[in-house]
Amino acid sequence: MKALVLKSSILGPYSSSNAVINSVVDELSPDTLIERDLASTPLPILTGDNVGGLRGTGELTDAQQHVQQASDQLIEEVQQSDTLVIAAPMYNFTIPVQLKAWIDLAARAGVTFRYTENGPEGLLKGKRAIVVTTRGGMHKGGTTDHITGYMQTVLGFIGITDVEFVYAEGLAMGEDTASQAIDEAKQTLKRLAS
């Protein structure tokens, strides 16, 4: 089994989502792992000037070529993987911009999804995703949890419908609560990843 690990926290060694994910990554063989830290190696953000690179038609500018090459690389990493382990810490009730940039480059018409007469069809089928989401407060199942539904939707849109979530909540609600939440999330991730 090959795993693609996507980290998106801007907190580096102080990141709770990285700590949870590292508990599993440290046990994986390097030849079964593709690891990408979206914060330490930022991806291009789509703009009106470079978005044409995702369509790939005509002569491309340097900026469009850069976006196309980044998108090609990200999609290839997903295609090579059986399981995606995605860090999605909650920043202002949603995912970090670093993860959104990955989604914008990975969701590519004609490559990872297509429109049919029956609606959109995801083309990255047969893969599994585990989303690790860390939060300072308690949001799971509530109206402020915008991450769970969004990640299910966007992953399903590109064909990844087997999606499971690992939650670590209450991380800003005292040291004991945070420590217990992180420990439980590590155990849940290890169980799901085995």
Side-chain angles (χ1 to χ4, degrees):
M1 181 182 88
K2 191 147 193 164
L4 170 61
V5 173
L6 300 174
K7 297 178 179 178
S8 62
S9 173
I10 60 174
L11 301 178
Y14 305 103
S15 164
S16 298
S17 61
N18 287 355
V20 173
I21 286 178
N22 286 341
S23 68
V24 168
V25 168
D26 293 343
E27 297 178 6
L28 294 174
S29 169
D31 60 338
T32 65
L33 175 69
I34 302 170
E35 189 172 357
R36 182 175 283 277
D37 189 327
L38 303 170
S40 67
T41 308
L43 295 170
I45 303 294
L46 291 183
T47 67
D49 291 332
N50 67 20
V51 71
L54 296 184
R55 295 183 185 96
T57 58
E59 189 171 328
L60 301 179
T61 66
D62 289 345
Q64 291 169 336
Q65 288 177 25
H66 179 61
V67 161
Q68 186 180 70
Q69 290 166 355
S71 176
D72 287 346
Q73 178 65 42
L74 299 178
I75 292 167
E76 183 179 333
E77 290 172 358
V78 176
Q79 290 170 333
Q80 292 175 359
S81 303
D82 302 299
T83 300
L84 285 69
V85 180
I86 303 171
M90 181 180 279
Y91 290 2
N92 298 314
F93 304 103
T94 189
I95 61 173
V97 67
Q98 290 80 7
L99 181 54
K100 180 63 167 71
W102 181 87
I103 290 166
D104 287 344
L105 294 172
R108 192 160 153 197
V111 181
T112 59
F113 72 91
R114 66 181 172 195
Y115 289 105
T116 72
E117 55 194 35
N118 298 320
E121 176 189 5
L123 302 176
L124 296 173
K125 297 176 182 172
K127 299 183 183 303
R128 175 177 176 235
I130 303 169
V131 178
V132 175
T133 181
T134 52
R135 298 98 180 272
M138 308 298 278
H139 302 277
K140 180 181 174 184
T143 58
T144 56
D145 182 2
H146 305 293
I147 292 177
T148 304
Y150 175 72
M151 290 302 294
Q152 282 179 316
T153 299
V154 76
L155 290 168
F157 185 69
I158 60 174
I160 304 170
T161 56
D162 183 358
V163 182
E164 298 180 87
F165 288 83
V166 175
Y167 299 89
E169 297 198 297
L171 302 183
M173 300 173 72
E175 193 173 311
D176 290 343
T177 301
S179 178
Q180 181 178 345
I182 294 294
D183 287 344
E184 289 175 0
K186 287 178 179 179
Q187 292 306 313
T188 302
L189 180 58
K190 283 181 183 178
R191 178 176 51 79
L192 292 175
S194 63

